[in-house]
Amino acid sequence: MVMNFIAITFVILPVMAGLLGIFFPAFGWFPIYGKSQFTIELILQFLQQPGILKSIFLSIFTAVFSTFISYWLCIFSLIFSQKINMHTTLKNIIVPLISIPHITVAIGILFLIQPSGWISRIISPWFTGWHNPPNLNIAPDLYGISLIIGLVVKELPFLLLIGFAIITQVNLKHYRQQISSLGYGLISGWFHVIHPVVAQRMRLSVLIVLCFAVSVVDMALILAPSTPAPLAVKIFNWYQSPYIKSQFLAASGAVYLLLITIFCCAFWAFCGKVFGFIFRILSYMGCRLLISSFVSKIFFALIISIVMLFLTLGIFSTVSAGVWAFVVVWQYPDFLPRKWGLSSWELNFEVYIQPLVNTLVIGIISSILALISAVIWLEHESRLKTKYIEMAMYLPLLLPQTGFLFGMQVLLISLKLDGLYVTLIWAHYLFVFPYILLSLSPTWRRWDVRYEMLGASFGFGKLKRLFRIKIPLLLLPMVASFTIGFSVSSALYLPTIFAGNGSFVTLTTEAVALATGGSRQAAGIAALLQMSLPLSIFLIAGLYVRVKAKNLSYFKIQ
C-alpha cells in the first residue's frame, strides 16, 4: 500500500493535475488571468491560426514515418540476425549511440547534411563544382525529412536493443523448427509465427517512440522547418510568449497535440491488427510467400546496408559535433579545418561549468532515486495489486510533454515549488523512473527463486536475502538500468525548462540555445560535453560489468 500511495502521490496525480492544467485553460477557465467562464471559442480559434494545418501534418507525418522506418528496420534486422551472428557487432554500435542525447545527434546531423556541412564538403568541389555553400533548403527542410532522419538515427538503436532483449526471451529454436516443418522460408515464417510474439512484447517501447516523435521539441527546433514549425514547437513558443492570448493558444494546442498522439497510437495499433489479420488469413489459406534465394540475398543486403547507413550517420554526427568544438578556421569547401585550437574553450568554458555540474548532479540523483524505487517496486509487486498502477507509471512517456508539463508548472507555481532544485530533480525522476523500470523489470522478473530458497535454508531473512544474494547477482542489469536512466536525464529539455522555471541551466538547454542562435564552435562544445557525460557513465559501467562478470561466471543470469 505504501508503494501505491507514493506512486499515486508523486507520479500519477501530478500528471493528472498537469492534464487538467491544460484542459481548463483550453476551455477558457484560467483564474490566474481573470478568466473564469468555460467556452469552446478558444478551441475553435486555434484552428484558425495561420499555418496550423501544416504544423499538424508535419507532426503526424514525421512521427509516424520515422517510427515506421525504425520499427521495420529493427524487425528485419532481428530476422536476418538469425541468418548471421551479428548481435555482438550491432550491440557494440548501438549501446554508445543510445547514450548520446537527442540534441547532440540533432546538432551533429545539422553539421553533416546542411549545405555547408561535412557531406557537402566531401563531394566539393571535385564532384559538385561548388566553391561556396549552395542555396538549398536541406536542413532544416520544408517537409521535415531531416527531422525524420534524426529521429530514426536516435530511435533505431533503442528499438534494436529492446528487440535483441526480447528474442533472448523467446524460444527461437522451437519456433524455427515449427517454421521448417511447415515449409516456410525465413522471412515468411517469421511473420507467420514469430512476429506476433515479438510485436506484442515490443508494443510499449514502440508506442513510447511514437509518442516522443509526435511531441519532440529539442530536435525539432534544430532540424524541423520553422515556417510553420511542427505543432509541439509552436505550442512551446506560445508558452514562452508573455502575452495572455498566447498562453490560451498553447493550452488549446496542447489539447490538440494530445488528441493527435492518441490518434497516432490508435492508427499504429489498427495497422498492426490489420497486418496480423492479413497474415492469419494467409496462414489459413496455406500461402507461404516463398521468395527465391537470390531475391532474399538482395533484400538482406539492402536492409543491412540501410541499417548500417543510419548507425554510421549517428556515429559521424557525434564526430561532426565534436570536431566543431576545436575549430578556429574552417572555410568552405575544405574537408578539414585549416586551423585547430582551444580558443573557443578559453572564451566560453566557464559558462559551461554550471550546466555541466547541474547535468551531472541531477542525472545521478534522479537515476539513483529511480533505481531504488524500481527495486522496491519490483521486489514487492507480488504482494501488491500494481498492474494498473504500473501501467499508469508509463504515462509521462506516453503523453506529449507539452501536453501536461505546462499544467504541472501552473501547479508548482501555485504551491510555490517552482524553480527549486528538488523540484527539478523530481521532474527528471518522472521520466527516468519509467525507463529504468522498463529496462530492469524483464531481468528482475526472470529471477531464479531457487537462489532465495537456498538463502532461506541458511536462515537469511527477506532483507538479508535481498542484499546478500539477489542484488549482488542482479547488479549488472541494475548498473545497465542506471546508465540508461542517466542518459535519459541528461537529454531532458522541456522538464528542465518548465520545472526549473528558467532558474537552472543544463547542457541540454545550453546546447539547444546555442544551436538555434549561437556560433557553431560554442554549440560544438556544448554538444561534446553533453555526449561525454552519459558516454563516460556507459564506459565506466561497461568496465565494471566486465570485471564483475568474471566473478559471476558460475551463475546463469540473463
Side-chain angles (χ1 to χ4, degrees), residues 158 162 204-205 208 394 397 433-442:
F158 172 71
I162 296 294
L204 178 60
S205 301
I208 289 173
Y394 293 105
L397 307 184
F433 175 66
Y435 274 107
I436 288 184
L437 186 63
L438 184 66
S439 61
L440 184 60
S441 57

Side-chain angles (χ1 to χ4, degrees), residues 165 169 378 436-447 558:
Q169 305 168 20
L378 293 168
I436 288 184
L437 186 63
L438 184 66
S439 61
L440 184 60
S441 57
T443 305
W444 198 277
R445 285 164 179 160
R446 294 199 311 272
W447 165 256
Q558 297 180 343

Side-chain angles (χ1 to χ4, degrees), residues 277-327:
F277 177 75
I278 291 173
F279 267 90
R280 283 196 297 273
I281 296 297
L282 294 175
S283 298
Y284 178 77
M285 296 172 62
C287 296
R288 284 167 172 76
L289 303 176
L290 297 177
I291 58 177
S292 66
S293 176
F294 177 73
V295 174
S296 177
K297 288 179 181 178
I298 292 179
F299 189 63
F300 165 74
L302 179 64
I303 292 295
I304 296 302
S305 299
I306 295 174
V307 170
M308 295 308 298
L309 174 65
F310 279 111
L311 296 181
T312 304
L313 191 61
I315 294 171
F316 276 97
S317 67
T318 59
V319 174
S320 176
V323 165
W324 271 103
F326 302 98
V327 169

Side-chain angles (χ1 to χ4, degrees), residues 36-65:
S36 56
Q37 266 192 325
F38 286 99
T39 177
I40 63 169
E41 184 180 350
L42 295 170
I43 291 290
L44 298 177
Q45 284 181 357
F46 174 82
L47 295 176
Q48 299 173 4
Q49 298 302 306
I52 198 65
L53 295 181
K54 179 70 179 297
S55 295
I56 293 173
F57 168 78
L58 272 174
S59 296
I60 296 175
F61 172 69
T62 54
V64 174
F65 198 52

Side-chain angles (χ1 to χ4, degrees), residues 23 39 44 67 69 96 114 177 200 205 257 265 267 280 298 331 340 350 388 414 477 480 488 517 520 544-545 553:
F23 271 103
T39 177
L44 298 177
T67 306
I69 295 173
Q114 64 182 175
Q177 290 174 349
Q200 183 180 6
S205 301
L257 187 63
C265 292
F267 176 74
R280 283 196 297 273
I298 292 179
Q331 294 180 339
W340 302 76
E350 290 184 1
Y388 296 106
S414 63
V488 169
R520 290 190 179 186
Y544 175 79
V545 165
S553 58

Side-chain angles (χ1 to χ4, degrees), residues 109-120 138-140 324 520:
I109 289 177
L110 183 70
F111 290 166
L112 274 180
I113 68 176
Q114 64 182 175
S116 60
W118 215 349
I119 294 178
S120 175
I138 298 177
W324 271 103
R520 290 190 179 186

Side-chain angles (χ1 to χ4, degrees), residues 10 43 106 108 111 153 224 245 282 345 355 368 416 487 504 510 522:
F10 291 101
I43 291 290
F111 290 166
V153 166
K245 182 180 178 181
L282 294 175
W345 292 79
I368 289 176
K416 297 183 179 181
S487 66
F504 302 100
E510 194 71 12

Side-chain angles (χ1 to χ4, degrees), residues 370-390:
L371 182 61
I372 293 173
S373 302
V375 169
I376 296 173
W377 185 275
L378 293 168
E379 187 64 15
H380 293 277
E381 67 176 349
S382 58
R383 288 182 288 167
L384 299 174
K385 304 297 182 181
T386 58
K387 179 181 178 181
Y388 296 106
I389 295 181
E390 181 173 330

